[in-house]
Amino acid sequence: GALAPAILILSSSESTPDDAARALKQGAWDFIRKPIVDTVFLARFKWTLKRRLWTEMKPSQGETTIESHDNCLTLDPERRLLEIRSGPNDKQSIVAHLTPKELGLLSLFLQRPGRIFSKQLLLEIVWGYAAGIKSRTVDRHIENLRIKLRPQQYRIETHYGLGYSFTDNLPPKQV
């Protein structure tokens, strides 16, 4: 789908509070009045971009399940259930119950297959942590999620020094 624009309004020093209120009511994400210090502007601009990313990562309204492109994985966010099939034509499935953080991680991965998410970005989006926190919690949750994904655990790929991604491709057939 199309991405929603991230709207940031920069106005002159003569703008009024009514101007700001009108812009925000019409969809602006922030209203910045000049003069503004460069570091403050940059911080607010980065926050707006980050907010856009978070908005983009949320499931669409009315979307009841999220599926992998090959239909081997079906995620039910409402019930925190993951249905796992060995192959696209497999009628039998395994059901796994996910923790809220596992649900957040897998939902993000399923919506953006192939995208590499840094640990820091995962901490910010899924946990809501501020930038700069060092933690092994992402690694532990990925490890637990891989266990629950069996036999599809290969789907979460580690990119050393970069982060994690989700592959939507079935592994090559073993000969």
Side-chain angles (χ1 to χ4, degrees), residues 159-171:
H159 300 270
Y160 292 98
L162 298 174
Y164 297 99
S165 69
F166 177 83
T167 182
D168 218 2
N169 301 319
L170 291 171

Side-chain angles (χ1 to χ4, degrees), residues 2-156:
L3 299 178
I7 303 167
L8 188 71
I9 296 184
L10 184 62
S11 75
S12 70
S13 58
E14 287 120 31
S15 62
T16 67
D18 288 339
D19 294 331
R22 191 171 25 265
L24 293 168
K25 284 178 185 173
Q26 292 178 354
W29 286 17
D30 200 355
F31 189 90
I32 302 171
R33 213 168 148 203
K34 290 197 258 178
I36 187 168
V37 177
D38 291 349
T39 55
V40 173
F41 175 76
L42 195 55
R44 287 173 80 170
F45 183 73
K46 285 180 179 179
W47 169 247
T48 300
L49 292 178
K50 193 177 295 185
R51 180 177 169 198
R52 179 175 181 237
L53 177 66
W54 291 341
T55 301
E56 182 186 323
M57 296 298 169
K58 291 180 182 170
S60 302
Q61 290 292 358
E63 191 173 356
T64 55
T65 61
I66 304 169
E67 293 192 11
S68 59
H69 291 135
D70 60 13
N71 297 319
C72 290
L73 301 174
T74 303
L75 182 62
D76 182 343
E78 293 264 324
R79 298 182 356 211
R80 291 196 340 240
L81 294 178
L82 173 63
E83 191 175 347
I84 307 157
R85 288 172 290 290
S86 297
N89 299 320
D90 195 353
K91 300 294 181 212
Q92 293 184 337
S93 62
I94 301 165
V95 175
H97 297 271
L98 302 178
T99 67
K101 298 305 181 196
E102 291 167 348
L103 172 68
L105 288 167
L106 190 56
S107 175
L108 202 57
F109 288 146
L110 281 169
Q111 291 175 69
R112 296 289 182 270
R115 176 173 179 174
I116 299 173
F117 291 94
S118 70
K119 290 179 192 179
Q120 188 61 52
L121 185 58
L122 292 173
L123 281 169
E124 290 176 24
I125 294 173
V126 178
W127 278 263
Y129 290 172
I133 293 176
K134 300 280 187 218
S135 175
R136 297 279 300 159
T137 194
V138 173
D139 300 319
R140 294 292 157 244
H141 281 79
I142 293 289
E143 187 179 312
N144 292 338
L145 191 52
R146 282 180 172 145
I147 290 168
K148 290 182 179 181
L149 275 169
R150 287 183 182 145
Q152 300 282 336
Q153 72 273 11
Y154 66 89
R155 300 237 187 193
I156 297 177

